[in-house]
Amino acid sequence: MLTIETTIVDTIFRNESNQYSVIQVQSEGETITVVGNFPEFFSGEQVVFSGNWDEHPLYGRQFKASGFKTEQPSTLSSIEKYLSSGLIKGVGPSTANKIVEVFGLETLDIITYQPERLLEVAGIGQKRLEQIIISFNEQILSRKAMMFLQSYDISPNIALRITKYYGEETENIMQTNPYRVVDDIQGIGFLTADRIAQSMGIPPQSPFRIQSGLAYVLYQASNEQGHTYLPRDILISQAAALLKVESSLVEVQIQSMLLSKTFTNAFINDDDALFLTYIYSAEKEIAVKLQRQKDSAKKSVDSTKIFSQIEDFENKFNIDFSNSQKAAVLSAMQEGVLIITGGPGTGKTTLINCILNLMENPEKTFLAAPTGRAAKRMEEATGHEAKTIHRMLSFSAETGDFQHDEDMPLDCECLIVDEVSMIDVFLMRSLLRAINHNTRLILVGDADQLPSVGAGNVLKDILNSNVIPTCKLTEIFRQDENSSIVINAHKINHGEMPNVNKKNGDFFMLQSQSAEQTASTIVSLYAKRLPNYLNDENGDANIQVLAPTKKGACGVNRLNKLLQEALNPKRKNALEINYNDITFRKGDKVIHTRNNYQIEWETNDGESGTGVFNGDIGYIINVYEEGLTVCFDESKLVDYEYKQLEDLDLAYCLSVHKSQGSEFSAVVMPVIGGPPMLMTRNLFYTAMTRARKLVVLVGYMSAVESMINNEYISSRYTSLEEQLINAQVSFFNAE
């Protein structure tokens, strides 16, 4: 880490939202460019920056500062220059000159400790005095707080966010309980707060620390593993290990968090379960609302008439429904809530078309799916408008919530939702809040797919409860009988080896001798061989590499780098941005990795809105100094500032989890083995069902066999199944 003593010359660029600044300074007679996150500096101010030299591809040598220390102006001319810089509202060059003439070198002390004496200066009245005091204090307190935080090795970016949130209370709050930042400031987690607290001397046994650590363990269990609770003994063990404190201290703080209602306790499947209260409430609300909807939206129908309409549909579209498919259509017309579940090729989409055809008011039937790609597929298959759930519920950036809820429900008679296995407890709760008590709800999905990325196991829990009417489709639809992808997906799901490399087939296995050869073959397939084979007008846009793991020679991270270098290599004088270990270039295929309801988008046609969601895939169309622009869904343009790049990743290769809800012309997948907890039949099946025209496996046949024989399914601690059963009992007793 280097330090340079400078005099501020000018601010070349400044982003007010994150205070990223490009500053021109003088240091030892040389003009230097300094970049970083700072408060606003005035021309002539003395500042010591700490950081390192960096070579920018367009702007050359720059000093990338990670910290700063200001020197208070000490001469009459520098004091006057500071006051007249425009940083202090109510003080221009003339007023600055008058103030310095009256108070001389004591000027800044007078403003700081005896500001009322400014009334002695001609032209300053009470109103202007108040304006000067407020503006001056904001400047001084902001700098003081930032330098206080940086003295504990807190990065300028985080120091800025903390200072902006707590203002003049920053030092007091951080010295008392730095763990407050976890709850108060989005994007600052427990590990960062704990690092800050330890550097400030907060004792390891602090109740604040243990409570924050406990909440972190439960949050991570939810966010990373999909659990909605942890058994008490597991929570205590994990928290004690994380915090390196005695279990008895953890138990004491669990009781405190139960008393404060931060945690909720219940007995689930013989587990002494501990929940973050907001997650417990979400599962309970889902159970109650599904039970009510099941009863209140149920309708009496003429089954003879329905079966006659089904027959008309079969004749019109040359379709021959099985008895189970006909029963599913009848149930859809009469049940308040219905689950339709089945694997690929079992006719789920055709059933949706038939249901829409039978509706008296099809315009009052809404279609939705969790992701943009799934909604687009639904719309293309039905010819009926389909939206993402987020868009249908109309998220409001102003309120931070969905506009459609109990007070403003959706104006529909029936709601059909596809890819329900992807829906977590929070999205399902929001969905149920937004429908009228007489709206029929049809939930469609494949129970054998991987569960949602977010908390819960909604579809599987509903099915296991046996509370909600369900139609399980098992017969392969006639049109898909010749598809090796469909046949093999079902074979894999039943523990059988797939048939591969059939002449004129659509399911291939290319065997390799090593992980390196596998990676090289995948790059060749993606860049050259498959675009020619598919003869698709979108080229490689409809080819997707899916990897079971993130790390390793054939993991998501490495394959993304290899594919980027093959398809979109570094170009001379072309601007690119490095964020963490990822380089972003114009033309890169990228994926948004976290729901962001506030981020704005617009189209070239003038349409605009907010919200980009986890799993949305697009292409970078522009890279500039401190950000880039991504085009999603071929028309939706989104600008990302540098700090927002944490929500983007390269998407030439995706994890199987991230691919859920999407469908691609061709799927390429490395199969070279790996951790048994990851290399499962369930994951393999999910990956294969993402392909529409072609599957190419590359690697070892032994790895394929191993995955198919691995029936391990990572269980989740969830309570929805039991909550549904309890809700049914409660409704029954109430009647």
Side-chain angles (χ1 to χ4, degrees):
M1 183 83 68
L2 304 174
T3 61
I4 55 172
E5 296 181 4
T6 73
T7 300
I8 304 296
V9 176
D10 195 12
T11 298
I12 307 301
F13 169 82
R14 180 170 174 79
N15 184 329
E16 288 298 338
S17 64
N18 62 9
Q19 296 198 6
Y20 177 84
S21 304
V22 179
I23 301 169
Q24 197 173 68
V25 303
Q26 281 282 325
S27 179
E28 298 181 351
E30 182 184 0
T31 301
I32 295 169
T33 300
V34 178
V35 298
N37 301 86
F38 317 116
E40 200 164 359
F41 297 125
F42 71 91
S43 178
E45 188 169 6
Q46 307 295 307
V47 183
V48 178
F49 290 104
S50 56
N52 289 293
W53 291 104
D54 182 56
E55 192 69 30
H56 192 278
L58 284 185
Y59 302 108
R61 191 168 182 252
Q62 300 176 335
F63 191 81
K64 200 168 188 177
S66 57
F68 72 93
K69 181 180 179 183
T70 59
E71 302 289 341
Q72 187 163 295
S74 58
T75 66
L76 292 177
S77 62
S78 63
I79 293 171
E80 185 175 334
K81 200 168 188 179
Y82 169 57
L83 293 179
S84 63
S85 64
L87 295 179
I88 300 173
K89 294 177 183 176
V91 180
S94 176
T95 304
N97 178 261
K98 291 177 183 178
I99 294 172
V100 174
E101 278 188 355
V102 173
F103 299 115
L105 294 175
E106 294 182 338
T107 295
L108 296 181
D109 286 338
I110 294 294
I111 298 175
T112 303
Y113 303 111
Q114 296 175 286
E116 67 281 356
R117 289 193 59 191
L118 289 175
L119 293 172
E120 299 172 20
V121 179
I124 296 181
Q126 190 62 42
K127 186 174 180 181
R128 190 186 246 190
L129 172 65
E130 291 174 2
Q131 187 181 29
I132 293 170
I133 291 172
I134 291 170
S135 182
F136 181 79
N137 285 342
E138 283 178 353
Q139 288 291 327
I140 296 299
L141 290 171
S142 173
R143 294 178 182 214
K144 185 181 176 186
M146 284 192 71
M147 286 190 286
F148 163 77
L149 293 171
Q150 286 183 46
S151 69
Y152 292 102
D153 292 327
I154 299 171
S155 72
N157 193 31
I158 292 177
L160 169 69
R161 292 162 69 188
I162 294 172
T163 303
K164 286 180 72 173
Y165 190 89
Y166 294 128
E168 63 185 35
E169 291 296 314
T170 297
E171 287 191 42
N172 179 46
I173 288 170
M174 294 302 291
Q175 287 175 330
T176 304
N177 177 17
Y179 295 97
R180 275 186 56 176
V181 298
V182 178
D183 297 322
D184 293 342
I185 304 174
Q186 185 177 2
I188 300 181
F190 169 78
L191 297 179
T192 299
D194 198 42
R195 247 187 342 264
I196 295 170
Q198 297 305 302
S199 69
M200 299 178 74
I202 302 293
Q205 297 82 12
S206 163
F208 293 132
R209 179 172 187 261
I210 296 173
Q211 289 189 23
S212 186
L214 278 163
Y216 171 76
V217 170
L218 272 184
Y219 174 78
Q220 286 296 101
S222 163
N223 197 48
E224 300 293 332
Q225 298 167 288
H227 301 309
T228 60
Y229 74 84
L230 284 179
R232 182 185 289 262
D233 57 339
I234 292 178
L235 176 59
I236 291 172
S237 172
Q238 291 186 6
L242 170 73
L243 299 167
K244 295 181 173 57
V245 298
E246 294 295 325
S247 296
S248 58
L249 294 175
V250 175
E251 292 187 65
V252 169
Q253 296 310 318
I254 285 176
Q255 293 308 118
S256 295
M257 297 182 84
L258 287 168
L259 288 171
S260 68
K261 297 186 178 179
T262 305
F263 284 0
T264 294
N265 183 219
F267 284 90
I268 307 294
N269 299 323
D270 298 323
D271 287 332
D272 182 4
L274 287 164
F275 300 77
L276 288 164
T277 296
Y278 69 90
I279 299 181
Y280 174 83
S281 299
E283 286 194 300
K284 185 172 183 178
E285 188 175 343
I286 291 168
V288 171
K289 287 187 180 299
L290 280 174
Q291 181 64 45
R292 286 178 180 165
Q293 205 72 24
K294 182 184 79 168
D295 296 338
S296 65
K298 193 166 186 174
K299 300 186 185 302
S300 296
V301 297
D302 182 343
S303 59
T304 302
K305 180 182 176 182
I306 296 297
F307 283 126
S308 175
Q309 291 175 313
I310 293 172
E311 186 176 350
D312 290 342
F313 181 85
E314 288 178 302
N315 292 333
K316 182 177 179 180
F317 294 99
N318 191 28
I319 291 170
D320 186 16
F321 281 130
S322 67
N323 289 333
S324 63
Q325 289 165 331
K326 292 176 183 178
V329 176
L330 176 62
S331 295
M333 304 308 293
Q334 61 187 9
E335 297 293 351
V337 181
L338 176 69
I339 307 290
I340 298 176
T341 183
T346 55
K348 298 189 296 295
T349 301
T350 307
L351 286 185
I352 293 173
N353 275 320
C354 184
I355 293 165
L356 286 169
N357 192 267
L358 268 59
M359 289 292 176
E360 293 180 2
N361 301 306
E363 72 280 358
K364 290 286 189 178
T365 297
F366 290 1
L367 305 186
T371 68
R373 281 177 168 262
K376 188 176 181 180
R377 283 197 297 117
M378 201 178 187
E379 185 169 312
E380 289 171 349
T382 63
H384 192 96
E385 183 183 25
K387 298 179 179 180
T388 63
I389 296 173
H390 299 87
R391 185 179 171 205
M392 181 182 68
L393 300 185
S394 300
F395 182 81
S396 168
E398 289 183 9
T399 63
D401 212 340
F402 292 109
Q403 294 183 43
H404 287 290
D405 55 17
E406 295 99 333
D407 298 325
M408 194 173 78
L410 295 165
D411 182 21
C412 64
E413 295 176 1
C414 179
L415 174 60
I416 304 175
V417 185
D418 199 7
E419 296 284 2
V420 177
S421 64
M422 297 180 65
I423 300 178
D424 64 25
V425 293
F426 304 112
L427 190 55
M428 180 57 77
R429 177 179 62 179
S430 295
L431 184 72
L432 293 171
R433 284 177 174 178
I435 58 176
N436 271 312
H437 64 89
N438 59 353
T439 297
R440 276 176 290 162
L441 178 63
I442 301 171
L443 302 174
V444 184
D446 183 349
D448 294 316
Q449 298 278 344
L450 292 171
S452 61
V453 174
N457 205 350
V458 172
L459 179 58
K460 192 153 281 187
D461 279 353
I462 294 174
L463 291 170
N464 290 343
S465 73
N466 294 314
V467 168
I468 304 301
T470 301
C471 293
K472 296 181 180 179
L473 307 177
T474 56
E475 300 171 61
I476 298 176
F477 217 49
R478 189 176 63 198
Q479 291 98 309
D480 293 311
E481 287 178 348
N482 295 321
S483 167
S484 293
I485 297 173
V486 171
I487 298 296
N488 283 336
H490 285 273
K491 287 172 74 70
I492 290 166
N493 202 30
H494 292 113
E496 302 171 23
M497 289 290 286
N499 296 321
V500 300
N501 299 340
K502 288 173 61 177
K503 187 177 180 181
N504 299 321
D506 54 14
F507 202 107
F508 295 92
M509 173 77 193
L510 302 181
Q511 298 199 55
S512 60
Q513 303 301 313
S514 67
E516 289 298 329
Q517 186 185 359
T518 299
S520 177
T521 300
I522 288 172
V523 171
S524 174
L525 284 166
Y526 195 119
K528 300 174 184 176
R529 296 160 64 180
L530 289 185
N532 294 331
Y533 178 85
L534 289 169
N535 195 26
D536 195 305
E537 63 180 15
N538 292 317
D540 60 25
N542 283 324
I543 302 169
Q544 187 61 56
V545 179
L546 301 180
T549 63
K550 287 188 176 181
K551 298 179 180 179
C554 290
V556 171
N557 297 338
R558 183 163 187 266
L559 286 175
N560 264 324
K561 288 184 178 180
L562 292 175
L563 289 163
Q564 183 190 45
E565 286 307 309
L567 294 154
N568 193 25
K570 182 178 179 66
R571 292 176 175 85
K572 188 177 181 180
N573 297 326
L575 192 60
E576 57 184 39
I577 291 184
N578 295 306
Y579 188 89
N580 291 335
D581 292 329
I582 304 171
T583 299
F584 293 107
R585 298 172 184 144
K586 182 178 178 179
D588 276 335
K589 183 178 183 181
V590 292
I591 182 170
H592 189 90
T593 58
R594 180 180 64 88
N595 288 343
N596 185 331
Y597 302 102
Q598 283 86 15
I599 195 167
E600 297 178 351
W601 55 263
E602 62 179 22
T603 68
N604 289 328
D605 296 331
E607 185 183 357
S608 62
T610 59
V612 179
F613 306 108
N614 186 7
D616 285 355
I617 295 173
Y619 287 84
I620 297 174
I621 62 169
N622 189 26
V623 175
Y624 46 92
E625 174 65 22
E626 277 303 316
L628 49 82
T629 302
V630 178
C631 180
F632 293 101
D633 299 329
E634 299 177 0
S635 62
K636 192 159 62 175
L637 305 179
V638 181
D639 289 328
Y640 287 81
E641 295 178 0
Y642 185 79
K643 66 177 182 179
Q644 294 172 308
L645 297 182
E646 65 182 353
D647 294 339
L648 280 184
D649 204 345
L650 295 176
Y652 300 102
C653 178
L654 299 177
S655 68
V656 177
H657 250 122
K658 285 293 184 188
S659 73
Q660 283 186 273
S662 298
E663 190 176 72
F664 310 97
S665 292
V667 165
V668 181
M669 182 175 175
V671 281
I672 60 170
M677 291 182 67
L678 290 176
M679 312 300 288
T680 65
R681 179 193 300 175
N682 182 223
L683 180 137
F684 193 28
Y685 168 77
T686 300
M688 297 305 95
T689 57
R690 299 305 93 204
R692 186 169 66 250
K693 295 181 180 179
L694 181 69
V695 168
V696 183
L697 305 177
V698 185
Y700 318 145
M701 190 61 78
S702 59
V704 173
E705 186 174 2
S706 177
M707 290 181 79
I708 290 172
N709 290 334
N710 184 0
E711 296 184 70
Y712 173 82
I713 296 178
S714 179
S715 60
R716 292 186 170 187
Y717 293 114
T718 61
S719 72
L720 181 58
E721 178 184 341
E722 191 149 326
Q723 301 258 33
L724 279 162
I725 294 168
N726 292 340
Q728 184 182 47
V729 171
S730 297
F731 274 77
F732 179 79
N733 290 338
E735 293 175 355

